[in-house]
Amino acid sequence: MLAEGGDAAGVARSVPLTQEIVDEAIIAYGQNGEPLRPAHGFPIRLILPGFEGNLNIKWLRRLKFGDQPWMTRWETARYTQLLANGKARQFQLRMETNSVITSPSGTMEIKPGYNRISGVAWSGHGKIARVEVSTDGARTWKNAALNEPVLSKAQTCFQMDWTWDGKPTKIVSRSTDENGNVQPDRNAFIASMGTNALFHYNAQQTWSIDETGRVRNVLA
Ligand SMILES: Nc1nc2c(c(=O)[nH]1)N[C@H]1C(S)=C(S)[C@@H](COP(=O)(O)O)O[C@H]1N2
Ligand SMILES: [Mo]
């Protein structure tokens, strides 16, 4: 199925018409009890739950059906990835298992003592089953609490109590979905996806905290 947007960006993407898409795809004309807002695709947009943002074509003007991908610019120049082994992977469609600690996070400053860690996890494969948090640079992990509702292919908030002893450390989260997909660390991500998969990066996000309480983005 090819979905075309009516805007000047010429965004058009094809997806295999699987049973999942037949069952779950939405042509949305409203959101939160009001018509779609112009910026989000008024009057109608396609929503494919579990698929990357780019496939949710806004200002939808046409759906076409055929027996092969259309190889639009958006799926060749963009959502095809050159892997580490030199082969191109066509196409990256699914939103992979992901999470990020949003508090404390980069540019924040914290004080020693009680700090609640909170963040968001999501997976295009289903529900989030578990989010683990490490406050010692990925040496040891504890399960975070998940906020209800935990819905399939939707964002799930998590939180964990933490008392910071004032010593420099690194904090990081790692999500697992109901199908057993575990969010990779950066090295594992690069080993399988190479360094060309920026659009699809789902590796663990580490924040370092220095002795003054300043939080910064670090590679691991
Ligand atoms: N027609 C059209 N659809 C589009 C786009 C666009 O530029 N034109 N951008 C895509 C991308 S890259 C993303 S991430 C999402 C963003 O949707 P949002 O603005 O509702 O967050 O819309 C997608 N659909
Ligand atoms: Mo995007």
Side-chain angles (χ1 to χ4, degrees), residues 26 68 102 130 133 148 175 205-206:
I26 296 167
Q68 331 182 24
T102 51
R130 175 155 89 119
V133 169
E148 294 292 332
S175 61
Q205 168 66 49
T206 304

Side-chain angles (χ1 to χ4, degrees), residues 52-55 74 79 199:
E52 289 191 353
N54 187 260
L55 284 144
W74 284 90
Y79 287 74
F199 284 25

Side-chain angles (χ1 to χ4, degrees), residues 54-69:
N54 187 260
L55 284 144
N56 299 290
I57 300 293
K58 304 193 272 192
W59 313 290
L60 186 64
R61 72 165 181 196
R62 179 160 66 170
L63 293 174
K64 279 171 84 172
F65 297 89
D67 59 9
Q68 331 182 24

Side-chain angles (χ1 to χ4, degrees), residues 61-180:
R61 72 165 181 196
R62 179 160 66 170
L63 293 174
K64 279 171 84 172
F65 297 89
D67 59 9
Q68 331 182 24
W70 271 259
M71 308 300 270
T72 69
R73 171 173 180 267
W74 284 90
E75 55 207 19
T76 52
R78 293 292 182 270
Y79 287 74
T80 286
Q81 288 145 229
L82 189 59
L83 300 176
N85 65 8
K87 292 201 170 174
R89 168 168 144 152
Q90 291 174 315
F91 306 95
Q92 178 64 39
L93 303 170
R94 178 102 29 201
M95 179 65 77
E96 297 298 341
T97 309
N98 212 333
S99 75
V100 63
I101 295 173
T102 51
S103 182
S105 59
T107 74
M108 289 183 185
E109 275 178 46
I110 62 167
K111 292 190 169 65
Y114 179 75
N115 284 277
R116 191 176 68 157
I117 292 177
S118 57
V120 189
W122 63 97
S123 169
H125 297 278
K127 289 182 189 170
I128 290 296
R130 175 155 89 119
V131 178
E132 297 157 285
V133 169
S134 173
T135 55
D136 58 8
R139 272 188 285 277
T140 62
W141 299 84
K142 270 191 221 153
N143 284 339
L146 304 184
N147 293 7
E148 294 292 332
V150 178
L151 300 172
S152 183
K153 303 172 185 175
Q155 290 173 335
T156 297
C157 296
F158 64 88
Q159 49 192 302
M160 200 181 83
D161 291 329
W162 181 47
T163 302
W164 182 44
D165 61 11
K167 297 198 182 98
T169 192
K170 289 176 185 172
I171 61 173
V172 55
S173 66
R174 169 171 81 186
S175 61
T176 302
D177 68 29
E178 62 179 339
N179 292 306

